[in-house]
Amino acid sequence: MDGTYLSQLMQQQSGVLVFVNVFLQQLGLPVPSVPTMILVASQMHGFSGLAGILLLAVLASLLADWIWYQAGRSFGYRVLSLLCKLSINPSSCVNQTEARFTKWGVWSLVVGKFIPGFSTVAPPVAGALGMPRTPFFIASAIGAALWAGVALTAGYLFKTQIDFGLALMAQHGVKAVVILLVFLSIVLGWKFWKKLRFKKMATMRHVSLDEMKVALTSLTPPHMLDLRSASMVAETGFIKDAYVTEYDSLAKSLSGLAKDYPIVTICACPQDAGAVFAAQELQDLGYHNAFPLAGGFDTMKELAQRDQSLIQKQVMPNMSESLAAT
């Protein structure tokens, strides 16, 4: 594949390439569409062509967003769990996405298009949180138009430089492909390293259901940190005596606590990812008895079948503060 072939392909199948590429990326597949839009725009010879490509990119993005929005609306957090299992960084998948929604509101859908990973997770979160369809589609359309518009404008403005690069590829096609493959290998290698790093971290000791049951009735019950988002806590209930907190506020939630006191971190993440990261951070701070709860909130729900007071719908004081702060 050389530069001449790429140039012809961009001119003849530009609309199809952009639509399919944007649609697949917004569905969550690892197929970056910004380079495609930049290359396609560099082959355009007028603003009318750019406007057509922009419209196709927005439509493709909206179609993918609508699919995930409907999935989130119909299946709630089960869809988010599926997405997070596919995520390189599952610890931030649900909780940080919801935190952004709580902080930014509908604008999170606009800004989210520029944040890798967030643009795919945001629509099902919006659906799960019950965001009305009209503001959802308006915000998604604005975000997609700005995101695609920036890429297309960059390609159009720097068409001379891009054409020069394509010409070099035509002359040194094999070398260019080798450089591209090396670059992709480095990027993929870095992502897999992060995933392997998490898997290694996840091998730390977890508090089992039976251990938690005994600990809750002991003379020194553990200090529980509930890492679920405030909206999820409001929807599914709070854990009795647990402190609702965020990853950035872990230290504040341990004010006056002895370094050797037992701490249990709880989340609603796939592979207990959020709880694992939080426990590791606490151990690094010197709290060596901090461990994640195996099964997270699902384990607490199982324990609540025997003691219904463990999970309640009323809002605890520390949760009220969390909700007010957002």
Side-chain angles (χ1 to χ4, degrees):
M1 181 181 294
D2 58 23
T4 303
Y5 176 78
L6 277 175
S7 179
Q8 293 175 349
L9 184 64
M10 294 299 164
Q11 292 177 4
Q12 296 172 5
Q13 305 293 336
S14 58
V16 174
L17 282 172
V18 168
F19 185 91
V20 172
N21 201 170
V22 170
F23 177 69
L24 293 178
Q25 180 188 336
Q26 295 304 306
L27 282 180
L29 274 67
V31 284
S33 57
V34 169
T36 301
M37 290 189 286
I38 290 176
L39 286 174
V40 165
S42 71
Q43 304 305 306
M44 295 287 104
H45 300 290
F47 287 105
S48 60
L50 275 179
I53 296 298
L54 177 61
L55 178 60
L56 287 172
V58 172
L59 290 175
S61 181
L62 283 177
L63 178 59
D65 288 351
W66 174 78
I67 291 173
W68 281 124
Y69 173 83
Q70 287 298 126
R73 201 174 180 89
S74 301
F75 303 107
Y77 291 101
R78 285 176 290 175
V79 173
L80 297 176
S81 295
L82 172 62
L83 277 173
C84 291
K85 287 178 181 177
L86 303 176
S87 173
I88 292 294
N89 185 15
S91 69
S92 64
C93 191
V94 174
N95 298 71
Q96 291 187 17
T97 300
E98 284 199 281
R100 289 190 178 109
F101 258 92
T102 306
K103 183 177 181 180
W104 300 340
V106 71
W107 288 104
S108 60
L109 290 166
V110 177
V111 180
K113 290 296 180 185
F114 295 90
I115 303 175
F118 182 79
S119 60
T120 299
V121 182
V125 168
L129 294 179
M131 178 179 287
R133 287 185 176 85
T134 299
F136 168 78
F137 281 110
I138 292 175
S140 293
I142 293 173
L146 290 174
W147 167 70
V150 169
L152 292 172
T153 301
Y156 189 79
L157 292 177
F158 295 99
K159 61 189 308 179
T160 302
Q161 291 82 354
I162 294 171
D163 286 341
F164 178 72
L166 292 175
L168 284 179
M169 286 185 63
Q171 296 176 6
H172 309 284
V174 175
K175 292 181 180 179
V177 170
V178 170
I179 293 174
L180 179 62
L181 290 176
V182 170
F183 174 75
L184 290 176
S185 298
I186 292 173
V187 173
L188 290 174
W190 175 72
K191 289 187 175 183
F192 278 112
W193 174 81
K194 287 184 67 178
K195 195 153 192 163
L196 289 173
R197 177 173 169 267
F198 167 72
K199 286 184 176 180
K200 182 178 179 181
M201 189 184 301
T203 60
M204 71 162 55
R205 179 195 160 223
H206 285 54
V207 178
S208 68
L209 183 149
D210 291 334
E211 289 174 327
M212 190 64 172
K213 180 181 177 182
V214 172
L216 289 173
T217 57
S218 68
L219 295 177
T220 55
H223 184 75
M224 295 181 288
L225 297 181
D226 189 349
L227 298 162
R228 295 174 299 150
S229 65
S231 58
M232 185 182 288
V233 172
E235 179 181 331
T236 58
F238 74 88
I239 300 170
K240 181 182 177 182
D241 297 328
Y243 194 100
V244 180
T245 187
E246 297 179 354
Y247 299 107
D248 297 335
S249 306
L250 285 175
K252 295 180 182 179
S253 65
L254 302 175
S255 178
L257 198 69
K259 290 289 180 97
D260 60 347
Y261 197 85
I263 301 172
V264 176
T265 56
I266 304 169
C267 73
C269 310
Q271 306 172 60
D272 304 321
V276 168
F277 274 94
Q280 183 63 59
E281 182 175 335
L282 292 174
Q283 289 184 14
D284 292 340
L285 291 173
Y287 295 93
H288 300 298
N289 284 329
F291 297 101
L293 176 63
F297 186 62
D298 287 338
T299 295
M300 294 305 300
K301 288 193 293 184
E302 189 170 345
L303 289 171
Q305 292 178 358
R306 307 168 191 177
D307 181 2
Q308 295 184 357
S309 67
L310 282 177
I311 298 178
Q312 302 174 15
K313 291 297 183 180
Q314 292 83 1
V315 179
M316 289 291 285
N318 65 51
M319 183 186 161
S320 298
E321 294 171 5
S322 300
L323 289 171
T326 56

